[in-house]
Amino acid sequence: MNVEAKETMNVEAGQKIKFYQTGTLTVGNRLLDEDLRTVQASEERSNAITSGHRACQGCGEALGARYALDAAMRAANGKIIAVNATGCLEVFSTPYPETSWTLPWLHSLFGNAASVASGVAAALRRLGKADIRVVAQGGDGGTTDIGFACLSGMFERNDDVLYLCYDNQGYMNTGVQRSSATPPTARTATTPAVGTAPGNIFGTGKDVPRIAMAHGIPYVATASVADLHDLERKVTNAMQVRGARYIHILVPCPLGWGTVTNATIRVARLATESGLFPLFEAEHGEIVASSPIRRAVPVEDYLKIQSRFAHLFRPTRDDAHLAALQAIADKNIQRYNLLRNDHGNDARKEAA
Amino acid sequence: MNKPFATTLDVGSSLANHTGSWRTERPVYVDRMPPCNQACPAGENTQDWLYHAEEGNYRTAWESIVRDNPFPAIMGRACYHPCETSCNRGSLDAAVNIHAVERFLGDRAIALGWNIASSEERSGKKVLVVGAGPSGLSAAYHLTLLGHEVTVVEAGAAPGGMMRFGIPAYRLPRTIIDAEIARIVALGVTIRLNEPVEDIPALLEREGFDAAFVAIGAHLAKRVDIPAPDAGKILDAIGVLRELETGESMPRIGRRVIVYGGGNTALDVARSVRRLGEEAIVVYRRTRDKMPAHEFEVSEALEEGVQFHWLRTVTHMTGESITVEKMTLGPDGFPRGTGEYETIEGDALILALGQNVDTHVLDSIPGVEHSADGVVKVGPNMMTGHKGIFAGGDMVPSERTLTVAIGHGKKAARNIDAYLRGIPYVPKVKPALASFERLNTWYYSDAGKTVQPVLEDVRRRSTFEEVVGGLDETNALFEARRCLSCGNCFECDNCFGVCPDNAVIKLPDSAAIERSDSAGSPHSAPFAIDYDYCKGCGVCAAECPCGAIEMVPEEI
């Protein structure tokens, strides 16, 4: 064997070594096989919501919608019909006479996206077009409040729809009012930071992913714009099954949360790393997996970069409420077993 | 088509809405100076060769090194790797083991017989290099690559200078030195050995050289006056190391050998004495943390059984012992005598107190100036006061290390080339430093440093075998991939993925394409921003792992 041939062989042998510098944490990686990169790393991604939309700078929802729909499009070979509830996403994507959608897309009312999607699924079944899949999407207002009855009905009938909830924790489009997904102590237009218990009050709100699980539907998951690989994997998983499926995606809102526009992914990451927004998957009502915290942080790290929580720190530090929020995170950490050391990012394990 | 109001809109019609007009800041791709490159005295593009090594393109990686430094296998062993001291990964877990990867590449080049091609274009100019040490050989190599004909004259019997006569074989095997010098000779450099030069201008005249680079090093041992009435044996460190290298048999120095000094040379000689089977005791006037020697030298010496007496100065010697004065450190960090004395048993004393330049060859050259300790004055272009005669390495003002000397050779070569062509040498403008604060370290996998194998203690006390082993391909590749690529795009696609407005474009994957931002400043990232739609949120810049995107205010 001549030396150059030997060299080539060693290069090929090198490809088997599994440590890839940024592992599976970045969107792509030039050293990884294409199929191990995310959908978003590909120039072939469908860009279900394309440029020119009127979302604010750094919008988490525009990002989350593209992440989820592009993954669904790949899983369904591009055959998706999307139904949209009223909300930011609907408003900023379709100001007459423009649309940013590059897939068949329907909007009816604020509260009926789940029902319209059920209807579309029924029509496709009647037409015998099983290859065309249906996705319903809405914000937390359209999902956890206004469309909740329709959503529960869709779950209960196990209609063949993937429902994506983009949770930005409030009615942001209409001027940041409280929803049943707004966290305790958050300042909104309807929960001002005044009085002895400023901001949104403790003990209210709903944990809709767990309510969805209680319906016993085939698939429920939470996801975040801060973990693209995890989000795409969950959407892909959801597309492998038929029946009612629900994914609840955290999509920070720079305007409503009071963060700088470049902090969208960072604040979502801190929500997960603090334990306030646990990432998990459930099948038929049972938790089957959760994503462990990689670099644990106190809830304070997450809260203090958002002006909706500024009153917890200024003019005086509100230790009682900070402790109560930390207790919520601690409960999540315990419930979903988030502080365990098997996050799979350890290079030695990868190489082994 | 007559459409009912707001029922059907054309696909992608939002593209008519150029949201780029909202922007107050624009993201711009930048290339920054990685700290490893910045720290390298030989000016290696460390990050570049690690980038190629990460892909398993070892030949390309090696070719990148030798553009700046002809000695990768030597560097990977004997360089004190300031690149690793400055490596940003050190603030995350542990610095990338850069020198081990360099050694792997250098050894691979030797094993597979890789050679360097010189440019076909010859200038017709002849350059004399005086001294075949690291600086002279580096200059000869670069001058040859630049198209000049180079002759190196060396007073000694073998080329390599301090690489051969100052660094012991257990740190740098001689086969490695021979192989890397042979490659320079194969390139077309003539080396004449055993030829001390007495009159440089006369030699230039006689053989028709157009310029000279003088790099004769610093070989004269500094001495202190130590009374030794009973004719105690006093040697100098550089002499002992040279004797070890050239002597027919191992010299018998003494049974208990005292080494006086705290620099790397002191430790090299003490560790060599241990290998001859004798006891070695280092005496130094300050404390361990004040020693100029590198920490690894001290800890490896301790492992090998070298003893240390810190805060002592030698005042007197007999045939069986030395008398030392105890010192304390003053508030200024300098040692002060206490007036208390003690004796240390020992039958030989080796002085390792530094070296001076032997200037006699320069004294006759008009215009060449040097200071009292022989350090030669050179201009910013490394030219001495005599037109056409340049100088570098240990004989000019600098930190006296191997890699600095090699860097001098390269710098001198570029300036000599400019001198011969009659044009000024203009160094490239260096970009701003890629600091740790600019990184988003979230995206890097947790990965500790790969540790090189070390020779067991017992063999380190009796042989001159190499102490530190090399990495194999598996762990060299792993180590290369630990590079964070500070300040320069490594194609992770994060910006392409995280833009809420699809405003990042992938450029065709070809290195031949000149990439530049809208202001025309070039960058290496294979991406561009679509400013028609970019709203300037800055998420791409915030989520770029390596800090290769900068937000620049728009002119409004």
Side-chain angles (χ1 to χ4, degrees), chain A residues 7 10-11 19 21 27-28 30 41 45 49 51-55 57 66 99-100 261 269 294-295 347-348, chain B residues 10 13-14 17 51 55 442-444 448 473 481 483 492 494 496-497 499-502 506 535 537 543:
Chain A
E7 184 64 10
N10 279 312
V11 170
F19 174 59
Q21 177 181 229
V27 170
R30 73 182 202 283
R45 74 185 188 207
I49 174 166
S51 310
H53 62 70
R54 295 170 191 226
Q57 292 160 319
R66 195 186 76 223
T99 176
S100 303
T261 60
R269 185 181 301 133
R294 181 163 168 246
R295 292 184 188 173
R348 301 287 160 179
Chain B
D10 290 327
S13 44
S14 68
N17 184 29
Y51 179 94
E55 295 177 338
W442 170 262
Y443 291 102
Y444 297 105
E473 182 179 353
R481 287 178 174 181
C483 173
C492 75
N494 257 20
F496 184 73
C499 177
D501 292 284
N502 304 328
K506 281 199 192 195
K535 293 169 184 164
C537 66
E543 299 305 319

Side-chain angles (χ1 to χ4, degrees), chain A residues 16-173:
Chain A
K16 289 179 196 143
I17 296 160
K18 274 192 180 163
F19 174 59
Y20 292 108
Q21 177 181 229
T22 51
T24 50
L25 297 165
T26 50
V27 170
N29 184 329
R30 73 182 202 283
L31 301 172
L32 278 174
D33 289 341
E34 299 246 355
D35 58 350
L36 294 172
R37 303 179 199 175
T38 63
V39 175
Q40 290 301 315
S42 169
E43 284 180 280
E44 310 300 315
R45 74 185 188 207
S46 54
N47 278 333
I49 174 166
T50 193
S51 310
H53 62 70
R54 295 170 191 226
C56 304
Q57 292 160 319
C59 176
E61 189 169 32
L63 192 57
R66 195 186 76 223
Y67 281 179
L69 287 176
D70 284 0
M73 286 285 273
R74 179 179 276 189
N77 296 316
K79 294 184 176 176
I80 297 270
I81 294 174
V83 177
N84 217 123
T86 303
C88 271
L89 182 63
E90 172 261 328
V91 169
F92 72 62
S93 63
T94 53
Y96 185 77
E98 292 165 6
T99 176
S100 303
W101 299 102
T102 62
L103 77 178
W105 181 89
L106 286 147
H107 167 245
S108 171
L109 297 173
F110 209 148
N112 66 356
S115 299
V116 173
S118 294
V120 174
L124 290 169
R125 191 171 65 243
R126 178 70 182 80
L127 293 169
K129 295 188 172 175
D131 56 330
I132 302 175
R133 311 295 300 273
V134 184
V135 171
Q137 50 184 359
D140 51 291
T143 304
T144 71
D145 294 345
I146 299 173
F148 192 64
C150 295
L151 181 70
S152 181
M154 186 201 104
F155 287 163
E156 179 252 340
R157 293 185 303 272
N158 199 26
D159 290 326
D160 187 17
V161 173
L162 169 61
Y163 193 102
L164 299 167
C165 172
Y166 305 118
D167 177 9
N168 59 17
Q169 305 186 335
Y171 290 86
M172 302 317 190
N173 178 46

